[in-house]
Amino acid sequence: MKVLISDSISATALSVLRSSRIDFTYKPEISSENLVREIAEYDALIVRSRTKVTREVILPATKLRIIGRAGVGLDNIDLKATAERKVKVVNTPYALTNAVAEFTIGLMIALARQIPKAVSSMRSGKWEKSSITGSELKGKTYGTIGIGRIGARVSELAHAFGMKIMANDVIPIPKDLIDRLGISVASRDQILSEADFVDIHVPLTPETENMIGYREFSLMKKSAFIINTSRGKVINESDLLKALSEKKVAGAALDVFEVEPPNRLELLKSEKVIPTPHIAGQTEEAQNEAGRMVAEQVVEYLKSA
Ligand SMILES: NC(=O)c1ccc[n+]([C@@H]2O[C@H](COP(=O)([O-])OP(=O)(O)OC[C@H]3O[C@@H](n4cnc5c(N)ncnc54)[C@H](O)[C@@H]3O)[C@@H](O)[C@H]2O)c1
């Protein structure tokens, strides 16, 4: 049995495979052409997000039985093609939750306190002590669109900061969570119009693609911030730029982009935007856990089948 690892992965994952005596090849920079050429040799494939497991990759993969994705979203895998070929797909939905949630809180504070502006001002030799005045999270309204694993963890942290919590989801929100955090269950439009921080934690689906566009930004308070660590295509970037330039919203923090790496320089250079390179889940703890969990699932499946 042979496993191909086609993205960089934690050492923990490699040691799980080694100690299970599973033969593996580690090619974290393999090109898509070479992946298509070589995949026929392998029983399992382990990826993060760089590798795009398209139909072209699945078609020649005649031995492939399982794909492990160290992370949450499965939008880099053609799930229709894997289902047709009866290739099992596993991920590590819980491993990154806390990392993304803490990062989201970090972005909220960075937006509210203008931390990036303060840093670049100091670096240019200035001391703008009186002009950089921020606002606090305490007492503000946090609204999350999507309250699954990450949305719920951010809500817990936001609650600890003394924020009021509003949440919207397409599935019922657990009653104990609502009670524990005093959550106001709301429609998407209510969140957009009432929250001081609009936060997005949904998967990318045909329904969530372009979910936040000009109409939605126009509903937001002029003083409100929007944070997106979910998937870039959930927000319409050109509408965000328009909304920012028309002062319909105060600012945005984006860890994910319509195209990655992003190509909209205007967005990246805007003083009102905090851009980060899809690192919300990138902590040592989360990556070790994701690597360990994905490797264990792949080993278990290969050994049991
Ligand atoms: N930036 C990063 O590094 C990073 C890391 C991990 C995950 N993510 C992204 O975060 C997303 C959320 O992760 P999670 O673990 O919380 O997933 P989850 O499945 O636990 O939660 C997603 C929630 O969104 C809800 N939802 C789906 N469609 C909706 C809609 N139209 N309106 C409102 N709610 C809707 C679902 O019902 C669910 O409760 C992932 O899909 C992934 O794309 C990003």
Side-chain angles (χ1 to χ4, degrees):
M1 281 183 294
K2 280 178 78 178
V3 178
L4 174 64
I5 303 166
S6 61
D7 283 337
S8 66
I9 199 136
S10 69
T12 327
L14 305 183
S15 64
V16 168
L17 293 170
R18 238 176 248 122
S19 59
S20 314
R21 296 173 190 285
I22 298 259
D23 185 10
F24 69 88
T25 309
Y26 187 43
K27 292 192 172 179
E29 277 158 28
I30 190 170
S31 66
S32 43
E33 295 76 29
N34 286 345
L35 181 62
V36 170
R37 213 169 292 139
E38 296 173 27
I39 192 71
E41 295 172 40
Y42 295 96
D43 302 274
L45 174 67
I46 293 181
V47 301
R48 272 176 62 194
S49 50
R50 187 196 68 97
T51 302
K52 306 294 171 237
V53 190
T54 57
R55 187 170 283 277
E56 289 67 47
V57 174
I58 302 293
L59 277 179
T62 45
K63 280 173 73 187
L64 196 68
R65 283 151 58 200
I66 182 165
I67 298 172
R69 150 94 165 103
V72 185
L74 293 173
D75 38 296
N76 57 324
I77 300 173
D78 185 332
L79 294 176
K80 207 161 161 250
T82 53
E84 281 166 22
R85 293 289 299 274
K86 298 196 167 47
V87 174
K88 190 175 168 68
V89 178
V90 295
N91 62 347
T92 60
Y94 290 93
L96 275 51
T97 303
N98 189 62
V100 179
E102 287 186 8
F103 193 78
T104 303
I105 294 286
L107 291 175
M108 285 164 54
I109 296 175
L111 283 166
R113 304 300 297 272
Q114 305 182 63
I115 294 174
K117 186 178 173 189
V119 172
S120 58
S121 149
M122 290 277 304
R123 287 197 176 130
S124 67
K126 295 184 199 146
W127 181 256
E128 294 185 291
K129 183 165 163 54
S130 51
S131 65
I132 302 181
T133 301
S135 57
E136 298 178 21
L137 302 193
K138 188 175 173 186
K140 302 294 185 311
T141 299
Y142 166 79
T144 179
I145 301 174
I147 181 158
R149 288 171 291 260
I150 299 171
R153 180 67 185 139
V154 184
S155 297
E156 280 177 359
L157 298 174
H159 178 71
F161 274 87
M163 302 184 83
K164 295 174 210 137
I165 316 292
M166 295 177 85
N168 166 260
D169 205 296
V170 285
I171 58 170
I173 303 170
K175 189 175 176 309
D176 63 324
L177 188 66
I178 294 176
D179 293 345
R180 186 157 54 89
L181 305 181
I183 295 173
S184 311
V185 180
S187 69
R188 190 190 304 158
D189 283 1
Q190 273 172 320
I191 290 185
L192 288 161
S193 49
E194 291 173 34
D196 299 299
F197 294 84
V198 173
D199 193 19
I200 319 235
H201 295 292
V202 295
L204 179 64
T205 64
E207 206 187 296
T208 62
E209 185 163 349
N210 255 314
M211 185 171 80
I212 308 292
Y214 191 71
R215 186 195 81 89
E216 287 69 29
F217 291 122
S218 303
L219 291 175
M220 286 175 63
K221 296 195 218 174
K222 289 186 181 0
S223 57
F225 298 109
I226 186 156
I227 303 101
N228 187 17
T229 60
S230 67
R231 283 294 178 265
K233 287 186 175 142
V234 173
I235 285 185
N236 183 310
E237 288 174 358
S238 61
D239 286 358
L240 171 61
L241 270 171
K242 192 162 176 241
L244 286 168
S245 72
E246 292 173 4
K247 297 193 166 48
K248 294 206 177 295
V249 292
L254 307 173
D255 187 49
V256 286
F257 299 86
E258 280 178 7
V259 178
E260 292 181 9
N263 50 18
R264 256 180 239 274
L265 273 188
E266 211 186 329
L267 194 66
L268 305 183
K269 288 189 170 167
S270 166
E271 275 225 338
K272 293 178 178 171
V273 177
I274 300 179
T276 51
H278 203 144
I279 52 167
Q282 205 140 305
T283 61
E284 255 178 55
E285 295 88 337
Q287 294 308 323
N288 279 338
E289 187 62 359
R292 183 188 62 75
M293 285 167 80
V294 81
E296 281 176 359
Q297 291 179 83
V298 167
V299 167
E300 198 184 309
Y301 189 76
L302 289 179
K303 289 199 165 168
S304 68

